[in-house]
Each structure stands twice: as C-alpha cells, then as structure tokens.
Amino acid sequence: MAELMPPDTRRCTYFFLYDGSKVRGEGDPTRQGICYFYPEETPLDKQELMCGQLAGVSRCVSELSSSPVHTLRLRRCKFAIHMMEDFFWALGCSTEVPTVSVCELLDHLINIFCFYNGPIRQSYQLNSKETLAAQWARYLSHVQSGPSEIYNIFRCLRTVDSTTVDPLLLLKAALILQACQRCPLVLTGCILFRGRVVSTQMSPQLTMKVMVQESETYTKSQRSNGASTSCSLGAPVSSTAVFLTTSELQYLQSTPVNKNVSPFSPPLLDAPPKKTRLSRTLSDTPSTESEPPRLQTPQKLSFSPHMSESDDSFSPAPSQSSADSPNTSPQPTRSPLPNGGHAVETEHKLSHHHGFKSNGGSSVFEENQCLNGDDVNGDAARRAVFDLQGDDSGNEQSRDAQMVVGDSGVCFRKAESKHPPPPFTCALDSLEESPLIPKMLYMHRVNGLVLALLVEHGFMSDAASMEEVYHSSLASLNGLEAHLRSIAAATPGTSGQYTFAHYDCIQSTLTTNVSGRSGGAPEHPFVRATSLLHSHFCDTETLQEAIIRNAGVAVYGTRSVAQVTYFQQHSGSLRNSGIPNQQDSAFSLPSKARHRLLKHGVNLL
Amino acid sequence: MKCLLIASESAEVLFHWTDLEYQRNIQEQYGASQEEGEELPAFEDILSTLFAPIIISYSTMEDSYTSFTTDNNHIYVLHQFDECLYIAVNGDGEEKEDDLRRKMYVMKKMIEVMFGMVTLSGTLLRKELRPQDTEQRIRLWKHLQNLIETYSHLRENDQSFLVEAVERLIHPMLCEQCIEFLERRLVQQLNSSVERAGEEVLHAFILVHTKLLAFYSSRNASILTTSDLLALIIMAQNMYPSNVDLDDQSPEVTSMAEDSLHALEISPPDPSTPRRVFLDISLKDGLYPMMPHSMYCLPLWPGITLVLLTKIPTSAVALSVYKYLEDFDKLEKRLREGQGSSAAARSPLNMQDVRCKLDKFVKALGPSELQVLEFKNRAFAKNGPGFNKDLIPWCKKMKTQLCGIYRQCFLIDSTDFPQRLSPGLQEGAQAMMQEKLMDWKDFLLVKSKRNITMVSYPRNFPGLVHFICVDRSSGQMIAPSLSITERTTSELGKGPVARFIKSKVWGLVRTTRRYLQKGYSTVTLRDGDFYFCYFLWFENESGYKLDSVDIPVLPDDSPPIGTLACDYYKLLRYYSKNHKGETVKCYELLTVHLGVIPTEIILQHCRQLASKLWEPSRNPLL
C-alpha cells in the first residue's frame, strides 16, 4: 500500500475463527478448534480461554434466544460475532469504534475470505489450517490498512483524488473498461492505482474485495522488483479463481446502465461504444498515451491490430513458477469430499505462470508443466484441473494461475491433456451458506496500475479473447499509468481551520482531511464525536442533522440519503456556559460547513 | 419478553422476575430438551440450569461480559454487584441496553433501601434474598417483582421517572398552606405524642399520584436525597397503585396492576405496620448511608397519600456499625496493599482507638452478639501474628458479624416488637390531613394530570411542542403534562400523535444521556419533522452562569446517568467546582420544536425557558 498505517490506529484487538466441530469430545483440547487467532503472538492458553469461553457463552445465549449472537461486549473490548454451524468468528475492537462498524468489518472479512476461497467449510476440508490462517492474516492486515482512525468508522473504497486527477484520465479509464467488456467473457472490471480506485464498474463491495488481491500483488511486485523498474518480467498478468454470491452475479448480469458505479462518473460514459479497437479509440483522443514522457518500462510494446489477430499462435501451458508463489509447500492430495462424493484436487494453491514469449514476431509454444515444483504424475484428472482450455465451469481450481508477460515476447503454454474436469458446484457444502459461483479474476499490472477484470472461466482458456483484451488495453494502460504516476500523491492535509469527513454511502467513498499524521492526537476529539454521531445516524433513520458540543469541541453532522458529513471548526473559542445562546459558535457550524466544504467538492446546499 | 435475574457466583437464583412471555419462552426452551410426560421443575431451577453456563463463564473471564445481542435483537446486560450477578434480558425491543442497565441499578437501589447494610455482606444478602422458607421466599420475591413492575411502569409513563427528578404540583398557595399545616399541626402533634413509641417524625410529604404537593422536614432532620425520595415514591406507588391510574391504563398495564393487587391478597400487610427503609443521611461529620427509618404510608384518598418518615430510637447503633465497618474496611485495604512495616506501624495506633470504642460498643450491645475476642487476640496479642495479611479473613469475619448485628437490630425486631407510631396516632394524622384537603381533593387529582398545560405556548413560544426543565441541585423537574390516555386529553390531543410525541421525548432523553455519558453537554438534533435541543449548564448560588467544564467521559458499562440509582449530577457538580465550598447548581433543558421553525428562534425560546422557568414570578407558564 502506498501509505503505511501508524501502529496505534490498528482497529482490531482480537480476531479469531473457532471450529466447534473439532472439539466435540470431553478430551478434545480447545486448541484443536482454533483455526486462526489474532494477535498471533497471544499465548496459547489465553487463545484457548478466549475461544472456549466466548464460543461457549455465545452458544448458550443463542440457544436461550433461538438466534445467533450478534455482538458481545466485555468491559474493555467489543466483539462482533458471527456464528454459522460450528464456525464461530469473533472480531474485537476498542469500545470507541461504533458497534455497527465492527459488525460490518467482520462481515467484510468473511466475505473476502469466501470471495477468494469459496465456501468456508469446504475451504477447510480442502486446505490445511495453516494455509488458510495465512489467508486470514492477509485479509485482516488488508482491512486494517486505513491511514487514520477515521477509517475505523467508515468502510470505504479509497479512490484517486478527483480534484488532482484530470477528468479526462478518468474517462479514459472508464473507456478501457468498456472496451474490455466487448469480450463477452469479461463480466466487469475496475482500474486501480496504488491501492486506490481509478474507475470501477463493480459495486463498491465487490471492488473492495478485488482490491485485496491488487494490494497483495502490488506488495509482491514491489518486493520482487525492488524500487527499480528495470525488471525483466515487466507487467505481469495474473489470474485467480474467485467466488461470487448469487446477488453479486445478478447485479453483474443486470443492465449495464444500472451497473455504473464509478466513483467519478465521466460524462461520456454512456456514449455508444465505437466499433474501432480500443487502442485506436484512445489514440484518437488528444492525449499522449502513445508516447508517455515518463514511461521507462522496458516492456513497452507497440501494439498493432495484427498482433491481436494472431490468435491461433497462442496456446497456454502451465509453466514453472514456484519461486513466485507465496504459498508454501502445496501438497497435492486427493481428498474425497464427504458431501460431494467426488474427488477434487485439494491443493488450489498450485500456481502456474504463463509467459508470453515472442520470437521475432512469431510465437513459440513451450509446453512445460510443473505443479509448483512437485513432480507430475500421470493422473489425467488432476492434469485436467490445470487445463486452461477446459470448459467454463471446470477450471476454478487453478486459482492462482498467473500469466507473465515477458518483455521479449509473448507465449502461452498449454497443458497436454484436455480432460473435462468434474462439474463443480460451490453450494455443495452447506445449505446455510449462500451458494457461491466460481469466476476468475484477471489482473493486468502496469507498475502501480492494475486492470482487474472479473471473467468467465472460458476467458482464461480462450487465448484469442485474452490476447484481444490484453493487447487492446496495454497501450492505454501504459499511458494512464504514466499520467497517474506523474501526479503527486497529495492527500489533503489538515488545513488547521477545520476538520471534516464526508462519506458517500452509495459509492462507499470517504473524503476527509483527517490525516492520521503525528499519531492523530489533535484529531482524536473529532473522530470520537464522529464515531458517536455515526452510531446515532445508523440507529435513527429519521435523524438528519446533529450538533454535539462539550467544553472544547463542537461537531456538526448532517446526512442525506446518499451521504453523511461531519464537520468541526477549530478557530474561535468555544468557552461559554453551555446555556442556550444564539451567539454560540456551535450553532453556526451548519453554515460554516456549507461554505468551507464546497472547495472539497462537498455540496451541502 | 423481559427478565431480570440475580444469581450467586455458583448460579443459585437469588431472585428472578420475568414477564409471562419470557417465562413461557424459557419453559418451552427447557421443555424441548425434556422427555415427554416429565413434569417441569420449579421455574427458578429451570432458569438456573439454562443460565448456569453464562454465569460460570462470567466468573472465568478476566475482563467480564457486559452485554450480548442476538440477530433477533434480544439484549442481555450483565453486571456484578459484589457477589451478586445481575442479568437483564429483553426480547421485545421495548427496552434498550441502557434501560436494562438502569433497571438493574434501580433494583439494587431498592434492595439497599429494603435491606440496608446487610447488602454489604454477600453471605448475609444471599440468605436475605433467598429465604430458606419457601413461602417466605415467594412473598419476598413477589414484593420485589411488584416493585420492578411499578418502577418500569413509572419509567415508561411518568416524565419525572423518565428524567429521575421529582415533579411538584404547581400551586404555590396551596403548597405553602400544606407545608405550614404539616409543620405546625401534624408533625408537631405527632412528635409530642406519648404514643409515638420513641419514634420521631423527620419528614412528612403529600403525594398526588407521583407528584409532590408538599414536603416538610423537621429542623434536626438531614436532607432527604432525591434518590431516596424517588425510591420512596416507587414504594408508595407500589403499596397504593392509584385507581385513577387503573382507569387510564392500557389493558396490559391493568392486568399488571391487578396482578400486584392479587399479590397483596397473598400477604395482606397490616396497614399500620411501617416499612423499614434505609436511607442516606448527612451529619456534621460526614455521610452515613443506609440508616434505618420507618416509613408510614397513609392513604388519604385513592391517588393521594401522606407519607411519614421517622427516626427509630435505636438508630444510633446503625451509626456505630457503619463506623466500624468503615474501620475494618480501611484496615483490610491496608493489609491487602501490604505496605509493610510503615503501614503496620501506623495502623495499630489507629486500631487501638478502634479497639477501645469497639469494647464499649460490645458492652453496650450485651454479650454473645459480637465475637471480637478472637480478632483482638490475633491483632493485639504481644506474641500474636499482629497486623499482616493473615488478618484479612478476620477482618472479613468482623464485617460479616457487624452486618449480622445490624440485621438483627433493624430487619428482624419489627415483627417481634411492633415498634411504631400507634395505630390511633396514625389514624389521627390521616384524619387531620383528610380534613385539611377535603375541599381540594378533586382539584388535586385533576391538577396532577394537567400540572402545567400548553395553553400559553402558541402565543409565547410558537412552534414549541414540548420541554422538560430539570434543576439537578434540588432534584426537581418542570414539564407540561404528556398524558396520552383515553380519558384525559392534553393539548397534544390523544391517540397516535400524542403517543408519537411521547416516544420522541423518551427517545430524546435516552439519546442525550448517551451523549452526556461521553462528555457532550449540548446536543441539537433535526429528526423527522422536529428539532430537539438539550442543554446542561452550571450556575453558582447567585445565578451566575459558570463556564462549561470538561465533563468526564464514562465507559459504556458505567452506572446509568440519572439520580435514582446513583446521583450522576452530584459528580458533575463536583467537577464544575472552581473552589471548595462553592455551591454549584446544575440545570438541564430539553425542548422539542417543529422542524420548520428557524434555528435562531428555537435557540431564543430555549434561552427564555432556561432563564425564566425557575423564577415563579416570571414563569410565563404558571
């Protein structure tokens, strides 16, 4: 992530997942049921105490009330609880964080997990506790990455600053996404830049999930590339299997008009798509993306239409890539699913990378199969798992499949066998979990910029489509990246005059000048008041406006259907008796907020 | 779907109250796990079984539970007072977390008023709350259950119990006459009678429903705290649930009241037997909590009651017991801190003094009551262990014994020796008061329902819908009547509109308390079609407005903001003091305006109300 979070804004004090089904007998130690516990350095007996007691007492309460426990509070900590079958999640935060925010955060965490790993019970049947613990740790650190404590209150999409970015660039990003959608296998997409959204066609919730993977690959690419851009691999294309809920899928399949949730709606978004290739469309616009001044990346490729027509020259094949895999020692084993009855590869962390290699314009097909350094036995069924040309529904197991674009050329590798994989349904595990539909997340990274597309499985095996999307967007992405990179990452600092936070509930975006710098101490009174007001707004549907004041601080909160704004004025002495008084500066906050926030693009009129 | 449970650490039920719905729910829960044909055990045993895991887990946790909520919006609130764990549950959405916490604290307050310092010993309190004798237990629990129901009813319907301040009947002339009558005629006559059996009337007051018509305290009486006065009003209401109320109530409340009447039939109390109540008094040398008094509730007419509070002749014993309890408490604390020799060197000196006084006390009490010998041997013997940590259990033992003596003196004797104002004397007082108020009776009953009316609002305060003003120093409140019953109609009319306003006012009080708890003393809200304001400020004795101060930010599980259970405002007044000895007054104002009124006008109204309400001559509403 671009910004590092100061340690004291850590919003979560505890997070654990406990599987009660592992602790059935009298003699079963509680630790057997602990799937993940944060902070990981907590002594095991304390972990056992927390899991055992909280899960036990919650079970008792939910039996008494015939309903699962939703929140649980201790004197110094409040927990959001989620109970599903034998699984018990608890997320504990400081008592100052609004309860509603803690509950949202826990739901968000579980949703992220299911997005990348599928149904929970099944994930734990297919994978080791340790593997999944690493996933939880990763998601948890991602959701806690907000730069200041105000992010503990609002779960938001961070976007590029619309006031500093040329609207034309946003339009361009939207056009790239639209162009990608011409491929029928592409469902939807978003463009991200260094942990911030440039443009998205997805719902905010879905975009947030996609961003987990983005920040992961970003950190990885930063780590592997170091600071230099002179790496040989250049812009990597990767893909990973993801799982959508039925409602998310329905949303995606609804009319495109309703789907437009771009944080900054470009005025021309609804313009009819031109028949021309995207690359050409963009080069027609008077921008400099074809020869960006700061584009130093060696993988600069000149894309010509003929490249994308040479579909037949591509064939995918799994390649050796264990070094890049973040997951340790995957051990392909076959475990019969008790519910499904058919064997599925349990190891989904096998990653295979595909290198695009071109040799003087013509592609060379390399066939190279390696399962993360493991030897390959001749099991056809297993090989089928990695078959990128299998049918649409069959390829979800190759979750971390990555395609790497090399600077020297393009090459797809291809698996030999094309056995159709067994039909796969994700709802097989439980009736309680809502069914999850497997899709693929395709990501094309150009330095800090990522094009993320949700695609059908067929896309990954359809070399023609893939190449089409890749080539049609690459030049534009390069251009966009260069432009965005040149814009200074200026977060609005505290102006000294006032503090504000403006949350757009529809787009889930937060505009604020709370910086979190210098420990956030001077901003704490504002955050504390905002936290209280936020809880109040959530509780009381009819509440539109509130002013609260103590001896030192007066904070104004106002909301409409789509947005909620909090404002505090610093100047002027608040000292008075507290008796009603028209001259009291607290009551001029609404008009001050209206005037001051206009320049931040917040219209309260 | 409501429940309040008091349990010991070993999950023994010390008291429970449930409404019918919750009881049915619990029985179904339990029945489901039972084999068919099996008879259900006693309800308290079912509760104990079902709640045991929660109670045991509670004591296992380092940082204890304060609340749970479930997906179907059931709320559980837990709090431990000494050795008793209170659990309050709501499953119908009518109460929020803070209501449940308040209910627990009020319950604890009522138990303190009823059992006094016995509550300081966990062992004794357990025995007291859960008498061995089943019939006695049923009777006690029924009484406590009725108290909760009476309290809940008042909190939900009576503005003075909403904000926990006493409401006076506003009729200065009659009020003055009554006070004079109480002072010159009634109390004087009672206190000079030979039939008073050594008791002395300290306070006398007249209640019209829950409103105070007149209050008189004798010269040598200590001030009655608002908390105690509110508790006494609950007890009086519980004894004589006004018939007028019954007519007005919605059907469910009626059945509740009938239920309590039914309870009275089970154990018909001798009306002339006073209730033993334990109230806080402040003497020159400090505050003494839970000092024994007798409370006489003399019904004048349905809805109008004369209450007398007397000092009992043996109350000096309670003072001594409290002092010794404090001494042993201090000693125990010191031993526990284990400050080593320096503290030990100081403490024997103090203890020698305590020892002498204790000896005298024991002598005065008579033999066999207090076993101090063993403690003395351990503490003072030359070659004994002296003052070290080993003495802690003996301190505890002494404290329990002291509480035992207190119990013997003030909780048991009343049945053996009917120590009281003679029935004749009581009847005399009743008749005197009836004669005095005979002509006012009907007026008072109507007035109590329409204490302040909204008639003058539209002219002076256009757009003002409702307000409540509270003087926290005197514990009194002023608010227009908010009667929403079928029989009486307020200016708001009756039916849904009035009910809606009422729910908004109740919600506003809850909201502002929440902000106050977190340190915010001014709140304005635009909510739906209304604009709400809340102000809290301090004045000195001469009415000068003091600068606002930083109000403490309290944790979520702190005692509820109010006066009945714990006086939060006393704490606040302390905080706002600039120098010692300064008297600080604290006021609160809540207003409800129509949302269309400009904010400047609203603030102007608030300003006017705030400055004029407490000056009767200028009060435009009287």
Side-chain angles (χ1 to χ4, degrees), chain B residues 21 39 52 135 145 199 261 306 326 406 501 505:
Chain B
E21 208 187 339
E39 211 175 298
E135 200 183 312
Q145 284 160 357
E199 295 202 357
L261 283 174
L306 169 68
E326 250 195 337
Y406 178 97
I501 303 273
V505 171

Side-chain angles (χ1 to χ4, degrees), chain B residues 123-140:
Chain B
T123 332
L124 292 184
L125 179 62
R126 270 206 305 275
K127 278 190 202 145
E128 211 61 51
L129 281 178
R130 194 188 158 87
Q132 284 293 301
D133 178 44
T134 318
E135 200 183 312
Q136 211 184 332
R137 184 158 75 223
I138 291 173
R139 206 182 309 134
L140 174 70

Side-chain angles (χ1 to χ4, degrees), chain B residues 335-440:
Chain B
L335 294 174
R336 208 178 287 280
E337 281 162 12
Q339 284 167 326
S341 53
S342 65
R346 266 187 289 119
S347 48
L349 281 175
N350 296 335
M351 286 313 291
Q352 288 298 348
D353 185 34
V354 173
R355 182 188 182 178
C356 291
K357 283 193 283 181
L358 200 57
D359 281 340
K360 273 186 214 153
F361 181 57
V362 171
K363 209 175 273 174
L365 278 176
S368 80
E369 299 240 17
L370 193 56
Q371 306 293 328
V372 287
L373 200 64
E374 216 160 345
F375 175 82
K376 285 202 296 187
N377 284 346
R378 297 203 151 251
F380 299 108
K382 279 228 163 75
N383 44 4
F387 288 91
N388 58 27
K389 281 200 170 168
D390 298 340
L391 208 60
I392 292 176
W394 296 94
C395 281
K396 286 204 164 130
K397 222 174 219 177
M398 287 302 295
K399 287 201 287 185
T400 310
Q401 281 194 50
L402 284 164
C403 290
I405 288 174
Y406 178 97
R407 176 178 172 273
Q408 204 120 40
C409 292
F410 305 115
L411 280 176
I412 300 184
D413 65 357
S414 56
T415 45
D416 298 341
F417 301 93
Q419 168 79 59
R420 61 180 183 197
L421 305 174
S422 76
L425 203 57
Q426 291 181 42
E427 279 160 27
Q430 205 171 357
M432 272 169 80
M433 211 62 238
Q434 274 169 332
E435 195 193 321
K436 167 77 192 160
L437 290 176
M438 183 55 95
D439 296 341
W440 292 97

Side-chain angles (χ1 to χ4, degrees), chain B residues 507-526:
Chain B
L508 174 64
V509 170
R510 178 186 292 129
T511 302
T512 57
R513 274 172 176 159
R514 169 86 190 142
Y515 284 116
L516 198 54
Q517 189 186 43
K518 298 299 173 192
Y520 299 94
S521 55
T522 303
V523 179
T524 65
L525 308 167
R526 184 179 296 282

Side-chain angles (χ1 to χ4, degrees), chain A residues 308-342:
Chain A
S308 37
E309 276 153 22
S310 60
D311 290 343
D312 51 346
S313 65
F314 284 85
S315 66
S319 77
Q320 187 149 2
S321 65
S322 61
D324 273 353
S325 169
N327 308 295
T328 52
S329 67
Q331 204 65 28
T333 49
R334 175 187 300 218
S335 91
L337 289 181
N339 33 32
H342 53 262

Side-chain angles (χ1 to χ4, degrees), chain A residues 284-490:
Chain A
D284 290 346
T285 62
S287 79
T288 53
E289 98 285 349
S290 54
E291 199 57 35
R294 292 216 210 152
L295 193 68
Q296 310 157 344
T297 46
Q299 76 276 19
K300 189 167 66 174
L301 297 171
S302 63
F303 281 91
S304 50
H306 85 265
M307 279 286 287
S308 37
E309 276 153 22
S310 60
D311 290 343
D312 51 346
S313 65
F314 284 85
S315 66
S319 77
Q320 187 149 2
S321 65
S322 61
D324 273 353
S325 169
N327 308 295
T328 52
S329 67
Q331 204 65 28
T333 49
R334 175 187 300 218
S335 91
L337 289 181
N339 33 32
H342 53 262
V344 173
E345 287 300 329
T346 55
E347 185 43 69
H348 74 273
K349 288 302 158 201
L350 298 164
S351 57
H352 45 184
H353 294 219
H354 308 267
F356 289 84
K357 282 190 186 170
S358 74
N359 246 342
S362 68
S363 300
V364 163
F365 311 139
E366 236 180 278
E367 304 221 330
N368 182 355
Q369 183 167 359
C370 184
L371 305 174
N372 247 354
D374 265 302
D375 66 324
V376 185
N377 63 31
D379 191 317
R382 183 180 305 156
R383 230 171 295 129
V385 164
F386 306 105
D387 183 1
L388 287 171
Q389 293 186 335
D391 70 42
D392 285 5
S393 65
N395 281 323
E396 71 76 32
Q397 289 90 345
S398 56
R399 296 189 193 181
D400 235 1
Q402 296 199 343
M403 275 133 289
V404 181
V405 181
D407 58 332
S408 56
V410 178
C411 170
F412 267 118
R413 292 165 197 177
K414 169 182 164 188
E416 284 170 312
S417 57
K418 295 180 181 177
H419 293 265
F424 192 88
T425 50
C426 285
L428 40 78
D429 188 46
S430 83
L431 293 172
E432 285 191 30
E433 283 185 79
S434 62
L436 295 168
I437 300 99
K439 296 284 173 209
M440 294 300 286
L441 176 63
Y442 163 95
M443 279 196 172
H444 178 177
R445 173 177 289 284
V446 180
N447 293 332
L449 188 79
V450 161
L451 167 70
L453 300 173
L454 273 178
V455 295
E456 298 286 358
H457 277 278
F459 181 77
M460 304 314 298
S461 52
D462 186 344
S465 302
M466 213 146 120
E467 195 206 3
E468 162 89 17
V469 165
Y470 178 84
H471 286 262
S472 63
S473 59
L474 183 59
S476 315
L477 288 174
N478 277 331
L480 191 59
E481 195 271 339
H483 276 293
L484 288 171
R485 192 149 38 92
S486 67
I487 295 162

Side-chain angles (χ1 to χ4, degrees), chain A residues 1 7 56 134 147 159 176 194 200 253 273 277 283 287 356 389-390 395-396 417 419 435 455 494 498 525 579 590:
Chain A
M1 300 297 302
T159 58
I176 295 174
R194 291 184 184 164
T200 180
Q253 287 162 348
R277 295 230 154 270
S283 26
S287 79
F356 289 84
Q389 293 186 335
N395 281 323
E396 71 76 32
S417 57
H419 293 265
V455 295
T494 312
Y498 54 87
I579 197 163

